[in-house]
Amino acid sequence: SQTIHQWPATLVQPVGSPLSLECTVEGTSNPNLYWYRQAAGRGLQLLFYSVGIGQISSEVPQNLSASRPQDRQFILSSKKLLLSDSGFYLCAWSVQQDYNEQFFGPGTRLTVL
Amino acid sequence: GQNIDQPTEMTATEGAIVQINCTYQTSGFNGLFWYQQHAGEAPTFLSYNVLDGLEEKGRFSSFLSRSKGYSYLLLKELQMKDSASYLCAGLDSNYQLIWGAGTKLIIKP
């Protein structure tokens, strides 16, 4: 069966510090991968998606970046965090060439102070 | 532009029935998803509709009308554990999900 891992579960970082969130998927090959952010009480905002190693599409211009160094690894980074980066970050995967049901990881709650 | 509209919040009574509506405008259409999200947790899949009509799955049913750009999620025999946010998402012509802001459902005893 497929599983998706995200870490850390919670993170408190000062403004201006760097960020690295990691997501890995097990039990499937060549998945589509997604990074979302959800502000408190709001819907999901798609940040990045990837259809393959090294292939990243950015949906929203901002101070975040994403990388996919391996087939089942997706990393969200920032060089300098802003207060507005606080939120609930969710990684998700879906089967390529499918109707795109997305499976979500447990999420990382990021607080920037 | 692409847009998903759903009510911000609804309240219902334990044991009752509630209908959560969603209207969508997407560039092309390849289906409509409903997800459930408990506070502080990740969304989990509830249903997928691509053809008009009602899909029933236990206490939950989902309806789609493509001509009206409209869907609803029907929850029967409400239980306290159904208190959650319900997210509507449309699948566009590029197979990208367009998400609504979610409907927070509050269940009262």
Side-chain angles (χ1 to χ4, degrees):
Chain A
S1 64
Q2 301 89 3
T3 55
I4 178 168
H5 304 280
Q6 270 187 260
W7 63 93
T10 59
L11 191 59
V12 180
Q13 292 283 99
V15 169
S17 63
L19 173 74
S20 181
L21 301 181
E22 190 161 344
C23 170
T24 59
V25 182
E26 295 177 359
T28 187
S29 296
N30 198 29
N32 292 326
L33 295 172
Y34 306 83
W35 276 113
Y36 288 93
R37 177 170 60 203
Q38 188 175 35
R42 306 292 294 276
L44 296 175
Q45 179 188 30
L46 179 64
L47 302 175
F48 302 95
Y49 71 93
S50 171
V51 299
I53 296 175
Q55 299 179 62
I56 309 293
S57 296
S58 174
E59 291 296 304
V60 183
Q62 55 207 322
N63 68 319
L64 298 172
S65 62
S67 62
R68 185 171 177 173
Q70 299 180 46
D71 180 45
R72 289 168 287 178
Q73 184 185 28
F74 206 22
I75 298 172
L76 182 69
S77 304
S78 174
K79 292 181 180 179
K80 285 186 177 182
L81 284 169
L82 307 173
L83 285 174
S84 57
D85 291 325
S86 292
F88 191 41
Y89 287 81
L90 289 157
C91 180
W93 72 273
S94 67
V95 177
Q96 295 245 16
Q97 300 175 342
D98 202 335
Y99 67 110
N100 207 21
E101 176 184 346
Q102 294 182 12
F103 303 90
F104 288 84
T108 295
R109 175 120 4 239
L110 172 66
T111 304
V112 182
L113 301 175
Chain B
Q2 305 196 91
N3 195 49
I4 304 286
D5 284 318
Q6 52 182 130
T8 303
E9 188 175 295
M10 299 182 70
T11 302
T13 305
E14 189 177 15
I17 299 173
V18 70
Q19 178 176 312
I20 303 174
N21 296 323
C22 169
T23 57
Y24 64 87
Q25 287 179 304
T26 56
S27 301
F29 179 74
N30 281 301
L32 195 290
F33 286 85
W34 284 96
Y35 279 78
Q36 181 190 58
Q37 186 179 25
H38 285 100
E41 298 181 9
T44 55
F45 170 82
L46 285 179
S47 68
Y48 170 72
N49 293 67
V50 67
L51 300 177
D52 289 350
L54 188 68
E55 296 272 348
E56 297 187 71
K57 194 184 294 186
R59 294 189 297 114
F60 292 9
S61 302
S62 55
F63 171 85
L64 177 67
S65 169
R66 289 173 298 174
S67 62
K68 295 181 180 179
Y70 167 70
S71 172
Y72 67 72
L73 181 68
L74 190 71
L75 293 76
K76 303 176 185 177
E77 301 169 16
L78 286 170
Q79 301 175 9
M80 297 303 293
K81 67 178 182 179
D82 297 329
S83 292
S85 288
Y86 291 85
L87 308 177
C88 175
L91 197 60
D92 70 11
S93 58
N94 294 320
Y95 289 89
Q96 293 298 326
L97 279 175
I98 311 301
W99 293 87
T103 298
K104 183 179 180 180
L105 178 62
I106 300 169
I107 310 296
K108 295 185 175 180

